[in-house]
């Protein structure tokens, strides 16, 4: 029987896991890495940290799984997406990676939108939004602010593609990332050529990997160098993965039109599956073929969610105990004695797409303790998700239940808050490690064990628990949600010097 090595390269850590064909995880090791935050909502990581974490975690996971390394058939990675790197001819980073949540490229996002180019069709049918998080605004920021780095960069790509180069020596991007974050269109001429030309950025076209491989497609065998570092054979094939959250959809088994996925980690992403494009205000985009052939994915998202809990942990100087905080917070009433949190610590992704919006904790008294703030953060994030689901519903996409994966799934309280604030049942599959399970499905599909990704889901994704919304709490949260929606225009007005929003 074959085994599959996967990696979920998240924001806080990389998790390497070994799976068998039934979707059982046999070994799992996480290796954390550092993010350097600075003013202006900037966030950077060192690409060498990703590779070192991958080697260490993979060796650990294979040894924990007690499988013969020769029995590993394939490797697939899911990584944070639009985490942009500039590399020299040898694949060495010329500057730290500008990670996905870094929204310094605000002016550049406006410039991209102002081109009015046809490639923007995926976002509001061409009306936008364009996010400062995406590839082209970030590449333009480098070209404008660090021209020597841009000029010397042989390759400008993502975390995913950096790892592909290290694993195989191949310069290949994932169809998933390029359709999501680089304005690539499978049905409208491919690369966003005219868009980058209008920005005076044609040189970028040669810096992007020329080859595109769809999720589950074979990239190449492991190179001798990578095989040596990992203790594996060069017979191992590397199958394409993609953005952690999107590969997570596969791991949640969200593949049919009408289903709704919520992938949680440092961020929250809300995804639906559709048969045609959905464009409306408050929706980030609709992308064809980016996960499942001939289906569209409709997307909303919150840039900072789990990262706000991590921030609270930093403020608490390492004294934060998640289990104790969850226990104490569960005893509070909705609203945490008058607290309201706006979750825009790193800007708002949707429904406003406002990189300048910021987080807020409103209603503090001297009686509030860390567990009040902890729960108020989870509630604020729940309201942010509801605002996105409301925007999707207005656009015509309304799910009957939410399937959740990722870090928030570790907290029963947070899952219940999501059910209560959204007024929808929440399902958590047997494994909440959705990006890893999705990567295992792709590895097995690519290795020929399943004819389609859907067949892989049927064999490898198992159902778990279901949490119903509670009528009393849902009614209470309905009221507090209205206050949450009033917070953004009020704070925007203050930010803009008192002008009405
Ligand atoms: N017991 C818990 N209670 C609340 N939040 C939790 C708990 N366990 C994990 N989390 C959240 O999950 C986040 C990490 O999620 P994960 O999916 O591992 O992250 P990433 O993919 O961003 O590296 C943490 O920042 C934290 O907010
Ligand atoms: O999709 C994007 C960015 O485009 C991110 O939210 C995502 O890659 C970050 O994932 P985590 O929240 O760290 O698991």
């Amino acid at each position: 029987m074959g085994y599959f090595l996967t990696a979920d390269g998240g924001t806080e850590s990389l998790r390497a896991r070994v799976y068998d064909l039934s979707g059982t995880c046999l070994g799992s090791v996480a290796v954390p890495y550092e993010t350097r935050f600075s003013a202006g909502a900037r966030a950077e990581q060192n690409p060498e940290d990703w590779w070192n974490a991958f080697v260490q975690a993979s060796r650990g996971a294979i040894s924990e799984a007690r499988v013969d390394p020769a029995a590993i058939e394939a490797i697939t990675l899911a990584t944070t997406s639009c985490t942009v790197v500039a590399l020299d001819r040898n694949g060495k980073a010329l500057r730290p990676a500008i990670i996905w949540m870094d929204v310094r490229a605000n002016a550049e996002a406006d410039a991209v939108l102002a081109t009015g180019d046809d490639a923007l069709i995926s976002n509001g049918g061409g009306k936008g939004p364009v996010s400062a998080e995406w590839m082209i605004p970030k590449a333009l920021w480098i070209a404008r602010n660090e021209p020597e780095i841009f000029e010397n960069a042989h390759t400008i790509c993502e975390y995913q593609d950096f790892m592909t180069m290290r694993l195989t020596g191949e310069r290949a991007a994932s169809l998933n990332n390029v359709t999501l974050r680089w304005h690539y269109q499978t049905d409208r001429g491919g690369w966003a050529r005219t868009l980058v030309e209008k920005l005076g950025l044609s040189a970028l076209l040669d810096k992007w990997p020329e080859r595109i491989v769809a999720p589950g497609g074979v990239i190449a065998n492991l190179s001798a160098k990578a095989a040596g570092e990992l203790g594996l054979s060069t017979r191992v094939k590397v199958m394409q993965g993609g953005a952690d959250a999107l590969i997570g959809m596969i791991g949640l088994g969200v593949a049919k039109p009408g289903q709704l996925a919520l992938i949680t980690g440092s961020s929250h992403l809300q995804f639906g599956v559709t048969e045609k494009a959905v464009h409306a205000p408050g929706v980030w985009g609709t992308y064809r073929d980016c996960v499942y052939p001939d289906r569209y994915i409709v997307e909303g998202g919150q840039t900072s969610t789990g990262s706000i809990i991590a921030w609270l942990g930093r403020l608490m100087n390492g004294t934060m105990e998640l289990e104790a905080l969850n226990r104490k917070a569960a005893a509070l009433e909705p609203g945490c004695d008058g607290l309201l949190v706006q979750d825009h610590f790193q800007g708002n992704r949707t429904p406003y797409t406002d990189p300048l919006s910021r987080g807020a904790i409103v209603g503090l008294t001297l009686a509030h303790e860390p567990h009040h703030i902890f729960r108020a953060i989870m509630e604020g994030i729940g309201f942010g998700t509801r605002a996105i689901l409301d925007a999707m519903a207005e656009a015509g996409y309304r799910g009957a239940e939410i399937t959740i994966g990722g870090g928030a799934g570790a907290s029963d309280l947070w899952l219940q808050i999501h059910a209560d604030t959204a007024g929808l049942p929440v399902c958590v599959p047997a494994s909440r490690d959705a990006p890893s399970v999705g990567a295992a499905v792709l590895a097995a599909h690519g290795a020929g064990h399943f004819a389609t990704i859907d067949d892989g889901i049927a064999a490898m994704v198992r159902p778990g628990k279901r949490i119903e919304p509670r009528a009393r709490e849902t009614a209470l949260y309905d009221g507090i949600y209205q206050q949450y929606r009033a917070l953004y225009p009020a704070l925007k007005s203050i930010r803009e010097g008192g002008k009405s929003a």
Side-chain angles (χ1 to χ4, degrees):
M1 175 147 101
Y3 298 98
F4 307 97
L5 173 64
T6 67
D8 174 5
T11 304
E12 297 179 16
S13 64
L14 180 141
R15 285 80 64 172
R17 298 192 168 107
V18 176
Y19 289 87
D20 66 17
L21 267 175
S22 72
T24 303
C25 178
L26 304 166
S28 170
V29 171
V31 175
Y33 35 68
E34 194 197 345
T35 303
R36 284 166 301 279
F37 297 99
S38 57
R42 294 182 178 203
E44 297 184 337
Q45 289 180 345
N46 177 3
E48 291 302 324
D49 290 349
W50 306 330
W51 178 254
N52 293 336
F54 176 70
V55 172
Q56 190 188 333
S58 296
R59 283 182 167 272
I62 293 167
S63 139
E64 189 181 291
R66 295 178 182 279
V67 301
D68 179 354
I72 300 287
E73 262 187 71
I75 301 179
T76 297
L77 274 65
T79 57
T80 67
S81 110
C82 61
T83 290
V84 173
V85 293
L87 309 175
D88 71 11
R89 211 161 267 284
N90 302 314
K92 279 246 176 282
L94 293 167
R95 69 171 325 290
I98 304 179
I99 76 164
W100 60 275
M101 67 165 79
D102 186 311
V103 284
R104 74 182 70 184
N106 180 26
E108 288 73 20
D110 290 344
V112 171
L113 183 59
T115 62
D117 191 83
D118 277 356
L120 301 175
I121 191 89
S122 301
N123 311 100
K127 294 198 198 99
V130 170
S131 168
E133 292 182 43
W134 293 341
M135 163 57 87
I136 297 176
K138 280 180 172 145
L140 183 59
W141 185 92
I142 297 174
R144 283 179 174 176
N145 295 279
E146 298 175 352
E148 68 297 345
I149 301 257
F150 185 80
E151 198 153 307
N152 291 333
H154 178 249
T155 304
I156 292 187
C157 60
E158 298 206 17
Y159 183 164
Q160 184 76 21
D161 319 321
F162 170 84
M163 296 297 282
T164 292
M165 282 171 79
R166 282 292 165 99
L167 286 164
T168 65
E170 287 280 312
R171 220 165 153 245
S174 170
L175 179 63
N176 177 252
N177 298 68
V178 299
T179 49
L180 275 178
R181 309 286 187 242
W182 307 21
H183 302 284
Y184 184 93
Q185 318 269 342
T186 50
D187 54 346
R188 297 171 72 98
W191 293 110
R193 220 166 262 287
T194 53
L195 170 54
V196 295
E197 278 163 12
K198 284 176 192 162
L199 293 164
L201 206 60
S202 309
L204 182 60
L205 292 165
D206 293 330
K207 298 179 191 289
W208 280 342
E210 50 283 349
R211 186 172 161 219
I212 297 176
V213 181
V218 180
I219 301 173
N221 286 34
L222 268 186
S223 70
K225 183 163 187 300
E229 282 189 67
L230 291 163
L232 294 172
S233 136
T234 53
R235 282 192 305 278
V236 174
K237 293 214 178 312
V238 180
M239 311 302 179
Q240 187 58 283
D244 49 3
L246 273 292
I247 303 309
M249 280 186 89
I250 301 172
L252 293 181
V254 172
K256 293 190 186 66
Q259 286 186 285
L260 201 54
L262 174 57
I263 314 286
T264 69
S266 300
S267 57
H268 269 38
L269 293 97
Q270 296 79 10
F271 293 119
V273 185
T274 64
E275 277 156 346
K276 59 181 177 47
V278 175
H279 296 305
V283 169
W284 224 24
T286 314
Y287 317 96
R288 193 191 148 104
D289 299 328
C290 75
V291 182
Y292 307 108
D294 299 327
R295 273 165 266 176
Y296 290 81
I297 302 297
V298 52
E299 179 180 29
Q302 291 160 270
T303 313
S304 39
T305 60
S307 53
I308 310 177
I309 307 254
W311 165 83
L312 180 65
R314 291 198 295 279
L315 290 195
M316 291 172 71
N317 268 333
T319 61
M320 182 162 83
E321 282 178 30
L322 283 170
E323 215 175 292
L325 273 183
N326 270 290
R327 208 174 41 248
K328 288 172 92 177
L332 297 173
E333 278 291 302
C336 307
D337 298 337
L339 286 186
L340 197 55
V341 165
Q342 176 163 285
D343 50 306
H344 304 177
F345 280 54
Q346 201 76 12
N348 175 267
R349 188 179 283 182
T350 62
Y352 308 111
T353 313
D354 181 352
L356 299 179
S357 186
R358 291 291 175 263
I361 306 176
V362 174
L364 285 161
T365 71
L366 296 179
H368 284 120
E369 294 182 44
H371 64 284
H372 291 88
I373 297 174
F374 175 71
R375 177 167 175 148
I377 291 170
M378 296 199 281
E379 291 181 345
I381 293 164
F383 295 138
T385 292
R386 172 154 169 198
I388 289 164
L389 299 187
D390 283 356
M392 283 186 173
E394 244 169 73
Y397 195 87
R398 195 185 295 273
E401 60 185 29
I402 307 171
T403 306
I404 295 193
S411 161
D412 286 340
L413 172 63
W414 205 352
L415 291 171
Q416 187 65 61
I417 288 172
H418 270 303
D420 294 343
T421 50
L424 288 174
V426 157
C427 303
V428 190
S431 166
R432 64 179 173 78
D433 305 324
S436 302
V437 178
V441 169
L442 290 175
H445 163 56
H449 295 282
F450 305 111
T452 63
I453 298 175
D454 301 81
D455 291 345
I457 289 175
M460 296 178 78
V461 179
R462 291 189 219 127
K465 59 186 174 189
R466 183 181 169 92
I467 297 137
E468 297 295 333
R470 298 168 299 180
R472 177 180 164 274
E473 281 74 7
T474 298
L476 286 170
Y477 280 132
D478 272 344
I480 307 170
Y481 174 65
Q482 300 311 323
Q483 298 175 330
Y484 170 84
R485 290 308 297 258
L487 208 50
Y488 173 72
L491 291 174
K492 185 165 190 261
S493 162
I494 294 169
R495 183 178 100 205
E496 291 175 347
K499 283 181 279 154
S500 60

